[in-house]
């Protein structure tokens, strides 16, 4: 039984590692432009969403605020 637990845990880690590695293809000129726009913002970054998107948006706002970029969820 213990080996099934270990196998499941290792599979989860391998799956997540592959997903993170796949993000490298998203780092392009548009990503750089978005980062530059956000960092040059004089006011707050406004994030919105409905349903599950709202939960993700609120977490993004919390991350922005904790890293020094003023943000608000609407």
């Amino acid at each position: 039984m213990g080996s099934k637990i270990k196998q499941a845990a290792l599979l989860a880690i391998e799956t997540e590692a592959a997903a993170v590695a796949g993000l490298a293809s998203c780092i392009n000129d548009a990503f750089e432009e978005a980062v530059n726009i956000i960092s040059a913002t004089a006011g707050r970054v406004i994030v919105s969403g409905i349903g599950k998107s709202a939960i993700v948006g609120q977490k993004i706002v919390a991350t922005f605020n904790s890293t020094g970029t003023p943000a608000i969820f609407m």
Side-chain angles (χ1 to χ4, degrees):
M1 184 189 249
S3 70
K4 285 185 179 181
I5 293 171
K6 285 191 244 179
Q7 287 175 344
L10 289 171
L11 178 61
I13 291 169
E14 290 167 1
T15 301
E16 294 299 322
V20 170
L23 291 174
S25 65
C26 296
I27 308 301
N28 55 25
D29 292 341
F31 176 84
E32 184 176 11
E33 182 180 359
V35 171
N36 286 332
I37 289 169
I38 291 169
S39 66
T41 300
R44 292 182 175 272
V45 175
I46 299 172
V47 179
S48 67
I50 297 173
K52 289 184 182 183
S53 297
I55 295 168
V56 173
Q58 290 167 345
K59 291 182 181 221
I60 291 169
V61 166
T63 300
F64 274 138
N65 285 323
S66 70
T67 58
T69 300
I72 188 168
F73 180 83
M74 297 186 96

